[in-house]
């Protein structure tokens, strides 16, 4: 196309020369038109070459600047690690939403979400190998007592109220704590677990000593109850309870928080490494701002949030995920002033109960182990 245009331009110039009688005659009588045309062509070529060089230089400069900007942008991205407490589920949805929706990216963060090690997410966060992790207030009690407490802090309550309790087959008398007498309960054999059940049973006039404790090997609550391998299981209703509904298993259930406000502890919570919080408070705030946006999205759009979780963990049952998301939509924030807020009175009340029951190595003082400072 360029050669064709140049030929047309040259033809036009020659035609112009012919129409003007071969150009202007000089005082000496010489025809100057060919020389002027040649000079003009050379100047045009020189100008064109100069313009091309200038454009090329500008392009190289722009590329160099763009490359530098890209490098600077990559250098500005802060990489963080978040450790789950278990396999992905609807407790974690806000984290995955924040990643897919670009909330982390907007905050200049790149967050890797990893499965917990055998010794727990808390240890990984305490060691500094991860900046954030998912945990539970009851599980954190050993971290905050003793001579060598773990350097972690709970920085957000994921679900505002405790949704855990005891589930059993319907109509077998276990709709209240004392009904567990003579029944098979699948236990993890944890001191806090057994003390909690003992407390609520005694308050209901029951005898914990009459409960048949069997080691928990439950991987599917519906199957365990249907086959009668166990009679009662401690569950989080948002997942296992919702699953029994979907599979048509009629159950009885009592929630610990409904029996005594002291058991309305925070479960789960997001924890952070203390050194990281001290050295990078603004990064911690940026992370929690993005996560907060993720959970707020899940509150407003539970079905879409469920789709995002399923894309992140395709092994999950989409029907269960979406039903669980609907169940949790009004429970992530509930009656709190904002998502993630931890009420000190409730936090302290639970640890005071643990202290009273002798379930802490050393007493956990009021205000220990949590902070609302990093929430947006």
């Amino acid at each position: 196309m360029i050669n064709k245009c140049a030929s047309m331009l040259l033809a036009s110039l020659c035609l112009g020369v012919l129409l003007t009688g071969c150009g202007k005659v000089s005082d000496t009588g010489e025809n100057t038109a060919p020389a002027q045309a040649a000079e003009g062509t050379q100047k045009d070529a020189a100008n064109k070459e100069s313009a091309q060089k200038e454009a090329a230089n500008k392009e190289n400069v722009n590329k160099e600047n763009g490359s530098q900007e890209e490098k600077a942008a990559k250098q500005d991205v802060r990489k963080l690690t978040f450790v789950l407490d278990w396999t992905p589920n609807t407790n974690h949805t806000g984290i995955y939403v924040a990643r897919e929706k670009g909330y982390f990216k907007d905050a200049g963060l790149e967050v890797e979400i990893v499965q917990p090690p055998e010794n727990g997410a808390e240890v990984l966060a305490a060691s500094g190998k991860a900046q954030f992790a998912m945990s539970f207030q009851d599980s954190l009690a050993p971290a905050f007592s003793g001579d060598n407490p773990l350097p972690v802090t709970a920085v957000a309550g994921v679900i505002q109220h405790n949704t855990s309790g005891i589930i059993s087959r319907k109509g077998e008398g276990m709709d209240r704590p004392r009904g567990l007498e003579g029944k098979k309960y699948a236990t993890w054999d944890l001191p806090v677990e057994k003390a909690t059940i003992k407390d609520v049973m005694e308050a209901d006039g029951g005898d914990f000593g009459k409960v048949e404790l069997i080691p928990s090997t439950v991987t599917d609550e519906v199957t365990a109850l249907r086959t009668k391998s166990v009679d009662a299981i401690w569950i989080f209703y948002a997942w296992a309870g919702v699953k029994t509904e979907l599979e048509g298993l009629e159950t009885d259930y009592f929630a610990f928080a409904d029996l005594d406000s002291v058991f309305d502890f925070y479960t789960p919570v997001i924890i952070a490494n203390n050194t990281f919080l001290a050295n990078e408070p603004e990064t911690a705030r940026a992370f929690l701002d993005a996560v907060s946006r993720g959970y707020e999205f899940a509150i407003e759009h539970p079905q879409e949030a469920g789709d995002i979780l399923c894309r992140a963990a395709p092994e999950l049952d989409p029907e269960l995920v979406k039903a669980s998301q609907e169940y949790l939509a009004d429970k992530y924030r509930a009656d709190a002033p904002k998502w993630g807020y931890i009420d000190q009175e409730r936090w302290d009340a639970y640890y005071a109960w643990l202290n009273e029951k002798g379930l802490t190595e050393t007493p956990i003082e009021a205000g220990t182990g949590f902070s609302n400072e990093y929430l947006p």
Side-chain angles (χ1 to χ4, degrees):
M1 180 65 74
I2 293 174
N3 292 336
K4 183 177 180 182
C5 292
S7 298
M8 291 176 65
L9 178 60
L10 181 59
S12 297
L13 289 172
C14 291
L15 181 60
V17 170
L18 291 171
L19 291 175
T20 55
C22 296
K24 181 182 178 182
V25 179
S26 68
D27 293 339
T28 61
E30 295 178 355
N31 189 348
T32 61
Q36 289 173 344
E39 183 180 353
T41 302
Q42 291 173 352
K43 287 181 178 180
D44 288 343
N47 289 338
K48 184 177 180 180
E49 184 180 357
S50 177
Q52 288 175 338
K53 287 182 178 179
E54 185 177 353
N57 288 336
K58 285 182 178 180
E59 185 177 354
N60 290 335
V61 169
N62 289 336
K63 284 182 179 179
E64 185 177 349
N65 289 339
S67 177
Q68 290 175 349
E69 288 173 1
E70 288 175 6
K71 288 180 181 178
K74 289 180 180 179
Q75 290 173 351
D76 289 342
V77 172
R78 177 63 164 98
K79 293 184 178 181
L80 302 175
T81 298
F82 183 92
V83 189
L84 302 178
D85 58 290
W86 196 243
T87 54
N89 57 66
T90 47
N91 283 350
H92 314 132
T93 305
I95 304 292
Y96 288 103
V97 170
R99 185 176 70 178
E100 179 164 316
K101 288 289 183 180
Y103 301 155
F104 288 137
K105 185 177 180 181
D106 292 345
L109 304 174
E110 182 181 322
V111 179
E112 181 184 12
I113 304 170
V114 301
Q115 298 284 329
E118 288 185 7
N119 56 356
E122 296 85 0
V123 173
L124 205 59
S127 69
K129 293 180 180 178
Q131 290 77 28
F132 294 95
M134 192 77 81
S135 186
F136 306 84
Q137 187 181 357
D138 51 340
S139 302
L140 285 169
F144 300 141
S145 64
D147 296 330
N148 297 295
L150 293 181
V152 294
T153 297
V155 291
V158 175
I159 299 171
Q160 190 57 216
H161 296 283
N162 183 3
T163 62
S164 72
I166 302 295
I167 198 166
S168 60
R169 291 177 298 276
K170 190 172 181 63
E172 297 186 13
M174 290 170 280
D175 57 331
R176 57 189 302 168
R178 71 184 184 195
L180 293 175
E181 289 184 350
K183 305 296 183 179
K184 292 183 290 185
Y185 168 73
T187 180
W188 302 300
D189 198 30
L190 300 174
V192 172
E193 169 206 10
K194 292 186 287 186
T196 301
I197 297 174
K198 181 175 186 291
D199 193 277
V200 297
M201 284 189 70
E202 290 179 351
D204 192 36
D207 183 356
F208 178 69
K210 295 181 180 179
V211 179
E212 183 182 351
L213 301 177
I214 61 174
S216 179
T217 58
V218 175
T219 56
D220 182 340
E221 292 81 4
V222 173
T223 300
L225 291 173
R226 276 185 171 153
T227 59
K228 297 189 177 182
S229 60
V230 298
D231 298 319
I233 310 169
W234 186 329
I235 66 164
F236 288 89
Y237 200 88
W239 194 257
V242 168
K243 185 178 181 182
T244 64
E245 293 179 12
L246 290 175
E247 298 196 20
L249 177 65
E250 293 188 344
T251 62
D252 283 324
Y253 176 76
F254 62 83
F256 293 112
D258 291 341
L259 300 174
D260 189 335
S261 61
V262 78
F263 298 122
D264 193 14
F265 52 88
Y266 287 90
T267 175
V269 295
I270 292 175
I271 62 173
N273 174 273
N274 286 351
T275 301
F276 165 74
L277 290 176
N279 292 340
E280 300 186 55
E282 292 308 314
T283 305
R285 291 187 180 95
F287 172 84
L288 285 172
D289 180 67
V291 171
S292 177
R293 291 174 65 191
Y295 280 101
E296 290 291 349
F297 182 91
I299 291 169
E300 297 297 329
H301 309 282
Q303 292 297 303
E304 189 176 345
D307 287 336
I308 290 172
L309 178 59
C310 287
R311 283 195 290 273
E315 70 276 11
L316 296 177
D317 176 1
E319 186 181 13
L320 174 56
V321 167
K322 291 188 178 183
S324 179
Q325 288 296 164
E326 291 288 353
Y327 175 86
L328 284 174
D330 64 352
K331 293 177 175 59
Y332 285 125
R333 186 177 64 239
D335 53 355
K338 58 185 174 182
W339 176 85
Y341 181 80
I342 295 175
D343 179 79
Q344 182 171 348
E345 185 176 351
R346 282 171 49 207
W347 181 271
D348 288 345
Y350 182 66
Y351 283 152
W353 179 81
L354 292 181
N355 292 340
E356 178 188 336
K357 299 296 181 180
L359 295 168
T360 53
E361 187 176 340
T362 57
I364 300 174
E365 298 182 2
T368 297
F370 85 97
S371 174
N372 291 312
E373 177 185 349
Y374 304 96
L375 292 173

